[in-house]
Amino acid sequence: MLDINMIIKIVAKTIKVNLKKISKNSKVGDFEDWDSLGHLKILSEIDKHTRGKASRISNLAQQESVSGLHKILKKNKLSK
């Protein structure tokens, strides 16, 4: 199960940004590599960490911030 800190780590690692520069308020467009392709990579990494369960969430891809991702994962019982 993912928590907000793990989501932040996934985002940082996936878009190759220093962990200290990302917070729960970070969103698409805040970083050069967090574009549409970067967003897909983040979603893919989250799906790997949830063993394929995240890909079943219909509106996960529309979440464009760390807090949005966390909120929808929490709502679907994949995050605490």
Side-chain angles (χ1 to χ4, degrees):
M1 185 169 291
L2 300 173
D3 62 11
I4 188 74
N5 292 321
M6 180 57 84
I7 296 168
I8 290 171
K9 286 178 187 176
I10 290 170
V11 171
K13 181 179 177 189
T14 304
I15 63 171
K16 298 178 176 102
V17 172
N18 187 313
L19 186 61
K20 294 177 182 178
K21 293 184 177 184
I22 295 185
S23 72
K24 67 180 184 176
N25 299 317
S26 297
K27 61 187 180 303
V28 172
D30 285 354
F31 304 96
E32 185 177 336
D33 286 341
W34 196 349
D35 53 10
S36 56
L37 182 59
H39 195 63
L40 288 174
K41 289 178 183 178
I42 291 166
L43 295 173
S44 177
E45 280 301 310
I46 289 173
D47 197 46
K48 286 179 191 175
H49 279 83
T50 60
R51 296 186 176 121
K53 294 176 185 169
S55 62
R56 298 183 199 140
I57 302 172
S58 61
N59 56 348
L60 183 64
Q62 285 76 37
Q63 306 308 310
E64 296 187 338
S65 66
V66 172
S67 61
L69 292 168
H70 178 245
K71 183 178 177 181
I72 199 79
L73 289 168
K74 190 173 181 179
K75 181 179 177 184
N76 286 273
K77 297 180 171 61
L78 296 177
S79 183
K80 34 181 166 166

